[in-house]
Amino acid sequence: MTKERIYLFDTTLRDGQQTPGIDFSVEDKIAIAAMLDEFGMDYVEGGYPGANPTDTEFFTKKRTQKAAFVAFGMTKRAGVSASNDPGLNALLTAKSDAICLVAKSWDYHVEVALGCSNEENLESIRASVAAVVASGREAMVDCEHFFDGYKVNPAYAIACAKTALEAGARWVVLCDTNGGTQPPETREIVSAVIASGVPGANLGIHAHNDTGQAVANSLAAVEAGVRQIQGTLNGIGERCGNANLVTLIATLALKEAYAERFETGIDADRLQELTTLAHAFDELLNRSPDPQAPYVGASAFATKAGIHASALLKDPRTYEHVAPESVGNLRKVMVSDQGGKANFINALKRRGINVAKDDPRLDKLIEIVKEREATGYAYEGADASFTLLASRILGTVPDFFHVESFRVMVERRFDANGNLKTVSEAVVKVIVDGEVMMSVAEGHGPVNALDLALRKDLGKFQSEIADLELADYKVRILNGGTGAVTRVLIESTDRTGARWWTVGVSDNIIDASFQALMDSIVYKLLKNRDQVGLIAAE
């Protein structure tokens, strides 16, 4: 039987950004877009160009390679032509493959929020979609408050959807904006929309999680006929969040009720990276992954009850609804470490490192990684550090240079004008090919000073790191008190546009930063030689 295609639309960078406490920088958005693109999402919605400086800068160039890059914004205002509407023009000038227009589909909102007539709202939808289509971009319309609007005035809600479709929209997305719709209602209303003449192949679902049922509502909509699902990584979003795409992707792929009928752009190999994706995203947000998250949580396949553990040892299927390896996760109770080995072998293979499962060095690597993660390292969010560690254990890494010592000083003083200033200075002693070089630098804080001093003179390697830049620096305190263990995560980039993450852990924030900085530089030198991953397992 030919499977029907479900299209995955990620709105982490737009709707997800409305999560309290989350504020993406341009660099964050670039990194997350690359993660989503590489994983295989069909659409990556980047934000609202023209609404704020961050999103406007983000849309100065296309940020995805394979996924359709989507700009979001409102339909034109009533009484203004499409060509004269500044908001719509900002969308049309953005570097995107598609444009998603949000339109009112609840007549109450049309009257109160827009202050125009129902027909004027339909005309705004019609003209805006036509302008997007004329620009050569794929058009889609988010019918805001569709389910609440349908319950009050079904004829008008459907008229909004039909107007968008007839004007040329590829997708008409039904939004449960308030998040209160129940799955049986979702199924019934979607079926009614399709019966009215809007094909399911052109319908999408956008569910919020205010009753904890965003995933259930999304699946109910799919069962009723929609073929696009909108959601976010780990379910982030305003209020209680959006539909969790991580959970939906695994459910669609692994549950027979859906897997036998539908397919997505995520194949089995990519599915095994689902846990890594979910955890890496949390690390980028500088927060701890939810241990009880479905499929990808650290406790998703763990048990401590004696009778459960005993059954698991006999046959994991007794207490596991899917194999943890299928989503790249681990079983906490295992007869052997074969499941763990399989995950490591796959993770290494994706980095260009091939190693036999019976290679004793693999056992050593697994042991070291587990020991380090117990002390606070998080390699899901630090791919470059993991690659270097694997390369050192499974093969060799050239000793490019050696840092003999470093010293960092912070002085708080009054300058000649009586202004209070804090000055940070670092001194680093580096040995390259037997030659000792000492560098001194001042910076905006001790870590910046250490970074500048470390990269100030690396002898014959200096020209190779001239384009190395630190794009981001995140600190997480892993336990309480002023003597807490600290994890530092550093994102680096160079002129090729490549990005990599390195990690350091210590009870001294400077030492943790130094570890991450060292890994970043060594990774860059290996990358320059096209040796990342290739020097291991020789």
Side-chain angles (χ1 to χ4, degrees):
M1 182 178 73
T2 302
K3 295 183 180 182
E4 293 186 73
R5 182 73 150 81
I6 302 295
Y7 292 86
L8 302 173
F9 183 108
D10 186 279
T11 183
T12 299
L13 297 176
R14 200 273 303 173
D15 215 354
Q17 185 165 255
Q18 299 184 53
T19 307
I22 289 180
D23 186 19
F24 295 129
S25 66
V26 174
E27 297 298 333
D28 287 335
K29 287 201 163 199
I30 292 171
I32 295 167
M35 291 165 59
L36 296 168
D37 188 29
E38 177 63 25
F39 188 72
M41 298 296 183
D42 297 298
Y43 296 91
V44 173
E45 188 175 50
Y48 196 154
N52 59 73
T54 296
D55 284 359
T56 300
E57 182 180 347
F58 187 53
F59 277 94
T60 56
K61 61 176 70 174
K62 178 172 157 59
R63 303 294 183 176
T64 57
Q65 300 297 319
K66 296 171 287 187
F69 188 44
V70 186
F72 173 90
M74 294 179 64
T75 56
K76 79 170 188 69
R77 292 170 295 171
V80 178
S81 67
S83 59
N84 289 321
D85 188 275
L88 185 57
N89 282 325
L91 295 176
L92 296 174
T93 57
K95 303 295 184 183
S96 68
D97 303 301
I99 293 175
C100 183
L101 300 164
V102 60
K104 302 293 185 183
S105 56
W106 183 358
D107 57 358
Y108 171 72
H109 274 256
V110 173
E111 178 185 355
V112 174
L114 297 183
C116 67
S117 70
N118 287 351
E119 183 52 46
E120 285 176 320
N121 182 53
L122 293 178
E123 173 55 27
S124 291
I125 295 172
R126 186 180 300 112
S128 300
V129 171
V132 172
V133 173
S135 75
R137 254 77 65 85
E138 182 176 332
M140 56 188 82
V141 174
D142 276 3
C143 289
E144 189 181 32
H145 294 285
F146 183 86
F147 292 92
D148 290 324
Y150 181 91
K151 294 172 191 176
V152 176
N153 187 342
Y156 186 69
I158 288 178
C160 292
K162 282 188 170 182
T163 297
L165 181 69
E166 291 165 2
R170 166 65 182 91
W171 293 106
V172 178
V173 183
L174 311 181
C175 302
D176 183 25
T177 309
N178 288 342
T181 305
Q182 301 299 294
E185 294 177 302
T186 299
R187 190 176 290 106
E188 178 184 344
I189 292 173
V190 169
S191 297
V193 173
I194 294 173
S196 76
V198 182
N202 294 102
L203 284 177
I205 180 69
H206 180 108
H208 282 259
N209 204 40
D210 295 74
T211 64
Q213 297 180 98
V215 168
N217 275 321
S218 299
L219 293 173
V222 167
E223 291 164 5
V226 310
R227 294 299 176 257
Q228 185 204 90
I229 300 176
Q230 295 195 357
T232 60
L233 284 182
N234 296 340
I236 70 167
E238 62 180 329
R239 302 188 312 275
C240 303
N242 287 39
N244 188 339
L245 279 183
V246 172
T247 303
L248 282 162
I249 287 167
T251 299
L252 290 169
L254 299 175
K255 293 303 174 183
E256 187 176 353
Y258 304 104
E260 67 179 6
R261 293 182 57 197
F262 306 113
E263 64 181 1
T264 69
I266 313 299
D267 60 23
D269 287 339
R270 285 295 181 206
L271 191 64
Q272 291 178 15
E273 298 179 27
L274 191 64
T275 298
T276 297
L277 174 69
H279 291 187
F281 178 64
D282 276 327
E283 288 298 329
L284 195 147
L285 295 182
N286 209 23
R287 69 181 191 179
S288 298
D290 178 5
Q292 293 188 302
Y295 297 102
V296 299
S299 299
F301 300 97
T303 184
K304 58 189 296 186
I307 187 171
H308 295 185
S310 173
L312 270 173
L313 292 173
K314 294 174 183 176
D315 186 347
R317 291 175 296 178
T318 54
Y319 282 96
E320 288 177 354
H321 65 105
V322 298
E325 296 84 5
S326 62
V327 291
N329 209 340
L330 290 170
R331 181 180 304 119
K332 285 294 181 68
V333 179
M334 298 188 300
V335 176
S336 69
D337 62 355
Q338 292 306 305
K341 276 190 175 182
N343 281 347
F344 270 86
I345 290 171
N346 287 334
L348 292 167
K349 186 177 180 181
R350 291 194 296 271
R351 293 162 176 81
I353 302 173
N354 294 306
V355 60
K357 64 180 180 180
D358 57 354
D359 191 324
R361 295 175 300 175
L362 179 61
D363 295 320
K364 182 180 179 182
L365 174 62
I366 294 173
E367 181 182 356
I368 290 174
V369 168
K370 289 182 177 179
E371 287 176 355
R372 290 197 173 194
E373 289 188 337
T375 65
Y377 285 84
Y379 287 110
E380 292 101 338
D383 190 72
S385 284
F386 175 75
T387 300
L388 287 177
L389 176 63
S391 297
R392 290 183 174 114
I393 300 301
L394 301 174
T396 58
V397 173
D399 188 13
F400 295 110
F401 61 92
H402 172 68
V403 176
E404 187 171 277
S405 64
F406 71 82
R407 182 172 72 252
V408 179
M409 295 160 285
V410 179
E411 181 183 6
R412 193 167 185 259
R413 63 170 185 251
F414 290 94
D415 63 15
N417 297 318
N419 298 315
L420 187 61
K421 289 191 173 182
T422 302
V423 179
S424 298
E425 180 183 274
V427 181
V428 177
K429 188 182 290 185
V430 181
I431 301 175
V432 181
D433 287 346
E435 182 182 355
V436 179
M437 286 158 287
M438 183 177 291
S439 299
V440 181
E442 287 188 351
H444 300 290
V447 176
N448 179 240
L450 179 60
D451 173 41
L452 294 174
L454 180 59
R455 296 194 285 144
K456 197 168 187 178
D457 190 357
L458 282 184
K460 65 182 183 181
F461 302 117
Q462 186 61 30
S463 62
E464 293 193 39
I465 62 169
D467 64 330
L468 173 62
E469 295 181 9
L470 299 190
D472 203 357
Y473 174 86
K474 297 183 185 298
V475 176
R476 183 183 302 163
I477 304 302
L478 301 181
N479 52 24
T482 56
V485 173
T486 301
R487 179 195 299 154
V488 169
L489 191 67
I490 288 178
E491 180 187 0
S492 304
T493 186
D494 62 14
R495 64 170 171 260
T496 68
R499 294 173 180 274
W500 59 95
W501 290 261
T502 52
V503 66
V505 173
S506 174
D507 56 6
N508 184 306
I509 189 173
I510 304 301
D511 184 57
S513 302
F514 177 74
Q515 294 173 33
L517 288 170
M518 285 284 288
D519 272 4
S520 174
I521 294 172
V522 173
Y523 187 88
K524 164 66 173 170
L525 294 174
L526 288 176
K527 176 181 172 294
N528 287 352
R529 290 158 178 74
D530 295 323
Q531 290 184 344
V532 174
L534 300 180
I535 59 174
E538 293 174 342

